[in-house]
Amino acid sequence: MVTAITVLVIACPCALGLATPISIMVGIGKAAEQGILIRSGEALQRARKVTTVVFDKTGTVTEGQPRVTAIEPVSGWEASTLLGLAAGLETGSEHALAEAIVAEARERAIDPARVTGFEALAGYGVEGELDGRKLLLGNAALMRTRAIDVGALLPRYETHAGKGQSSVFLAVDEVLAGMVTIADPVKADSAAAIARLKSRGLRLVLLTGDARATARAVAQAVGIEEYHAEVLPDGKAAHVAALQAEGEVVAMVGDGINDAPVLARADVGFALGTGTDVAIESADVTLMGGSLHGVADAIAISHATVRNIWQNLFGALVYNSLGIPIAAGALYPLTGMLLNPMIAGAAMALSSVTVVSNANRLRRFKPGRGAA
């Protein structure tokens, strides 16, 4: 009877039951201290398996606070008229570039045109009507699909793109009226954060709807070798699906409405807290700040948490593997000793304390900005 009770007490799997949840709880708490909100323990554990990180450009790698740097009308148009029409079209849009155009018109005391029939063309631009005239504002791809000749401004467009600036064309009744250029500077710490991710051996990809030259300039500025330009919102999801088909475990980092589908599609979605509510709702992880260091921190915390879980499981299993035979009387033929049930109870409690203490070591973990 004594032996049976002793085995029952020492075999109680309290430590095994605590090994995983206590580490995950501490890991999620540690992430929260760093401004990283993780939705679930599954997302925390999955982050350590990430092999590829895909970035949106505007508002993610860049500041997301663009400003108009140039307004270039074609012959027969004035800059103020061009800006008024563009602002009228963009008033109904929530895109960061649209907000920059509206803000510029406000600064110049130019009233936005009263555009009707507004329609957002995802990945291309916007369109509407003014006094029966059709207005179209968007990227070069949109102009190509509508067969609008932008040759008069193409050299200037390419010059701006080479500097990492984005330009949108305005067409009135299918005829080019001018171009508005917006600059969105790269975040000061984006290059350092991306260097941390590269040092972990991760594959990094930039996806953007901007022109190829703009994408190349931004990618080079932050140290990303692989980039894809003029990608439509549904195209981003297709790119992620293609990477997953190659066997990659993909993390997506974005902040906009257009990023919501691909954030949900990725194995781990990272949304910036400075972004839209839709993006945040679709992601597994929310970075309360706008810094990409949060991605590197989250992955580092994930590795530390899973390592801590394995330590706990190993300790609990070794304890049970050694303790149960002793409690069952393995030493009795040699020493005539049986383990007292009270000692077994103390040992069982001690194993739980050991697991909890080891998990709490995570509280001292520091992801380390500027280091992998």
Side-chain angles (χ1 to χ4, degrees), residues 1-364:
M1 179 64 73
V2 170
T3 301
I5 292 173
T6 304
V7 170
L8 184 63
V9 169
I10 208 164
C12 184
C14 290
L16 284 172
L18 288 171
T20 298
I22 193 70
S23 293
I24 289 175
M25 182 181 71
V26 175
I28 289 177
K30 185 64 184 179
E33 289 178 10
Q34 304 293 320
I36 304 165
L37 303 184
I38 301 176
R39 285 184 179 272
S40 65
E42 182 183 2
L44 175 63
Q45 294 178 78
R46 196 163 54 234
R48 69 178 281 273
K49 298 180 180 179
V50 167
T51 57
T52 299
V53 183
V54 178
F55 297 93
D56 172 50
K57 182 182 77 69
T58 304
T60 302
V61 175
T62 62
E63 291 284 359
Q65 298 178 339
R67 291 188 59 85
V68 172
T69 56
I71 302 171
E72 299 168 275
V74 298
S75 179
W77 288 88
E78 293 184 358
S80 58
T81 305
L82 188 70
L83 182 59
L85 291 174
L89 278 167
E90 296 287 33
T91 298
S93 175
E94 295 183 355
H95 196 281
L97 300 186
E99 293 175 359
I101 292 174
V102 174
E104 183 67 16
R106 191 181 300 118
E107 285 185 15
R108 298 191 183 200
I110 297 173
D111 293 328
R114 297 183 179 277
V115 175
T116 59
F118 170 85
E119 184 179 354
L121 308 172
Y124 289 106
V126 294
E127 64 179 345
E129 290 187 8
L130 178 65
D131 299 330
R133 306 181 75 182
K134 293 183 178 180
L135 306 179
L136 197 64
L137 182 72
N139 55 26
L142 176 59
M143 298 297 121
R144 285 197 298 269
T145 61
R146 300 296 179 91
I148 297 172
D149 182 15
V150 297
L153 292 174
L154 194 57
R156 294 292 300 155
Y157 173 81
E158 293 175 345
T159 298
H160 293 310
K163 297 177 181 178
Q165 300 176 354
S166 302
S167 298
V168 290
F169 297 99
L170 175 68
V172 180
D173 287 335
E174 306 291 320
V175 177
L176 182 67
M179 180 176 71
V180 180
T181 299
I182 302 109
D184 186 12
V186 171
K187 291 175 182 174
D189 61 356
S190 286
I194 285 167
R196 289 179 63 194
L197 294 169
K198 287 176 72 174
S199 70
R200 285 189 170 276
L202 298 175
R203 177 181 176 184
L204 306 179
V205 181
L206 180 70
L207 293 184
T208 177
D210 276 336
R212 182 173 180 81
T214 303
R216 180 173 59 249
V218 172
Q220 289 176 346
V222 298
I224 297 177
E225 286 82 19
E226 186 176 349
Y227 59 89
H228 301 277
E230 299 183 2
V231 180
L232 300 179
D234 56 348
K236 290 183 179 181
H239 272 284
V240 168
L243 289 168
Q244 290 171 329
E246 294 174 11
E248 301 284 347
V249 179
V250 182
M252 174 68 196
V253 189
D255 74 323
I257 292 174
N258 292 339
D259 297 324
V262 68
L263 286 170
R265 168 75 196 192
D267 296 290
V268 184
F270 288 85
L272 301 187
T274 53
T276 62
D277 291 342
V278 175
I280 292 171
E281 193 65 29
S282 302
D284 301 296
V285 181
T286 301
L287 310 178
M288 296 310 295
S291 174
L292 295 182
H293 275 295
V295 180
D297 289 345
I299 292 174
I301 290 171
S302 174
H303 278 274
T305 300
V306 173
R307 184 167 57 247
N308 192 269
I309 289 171
W310 281 112
Q311 290 169 353
N312 286 346
L313 290 172
F314 177 78
L317 286 170
V318 167
Y319 161 80
N320 276 8
S321 298
L322 294 176
I324 290 174
I326 295 173
L331 298 179
Y332 185 78
L334 300 175
T335 64
M337 183 189 75
L338 288 175
L339 194 63
N340 189 297
M342 290 188 294
I343 296 175
M348 183 273 292
L350 183 61
S351 71
S352 297
V353 170
T354 302
V355 165
V356 173
S357 300
N358 186 58
N360 275 288
R361 287 174 54 246
L362 276 174
R363 297 183 188 278
R364 299 197 300 272

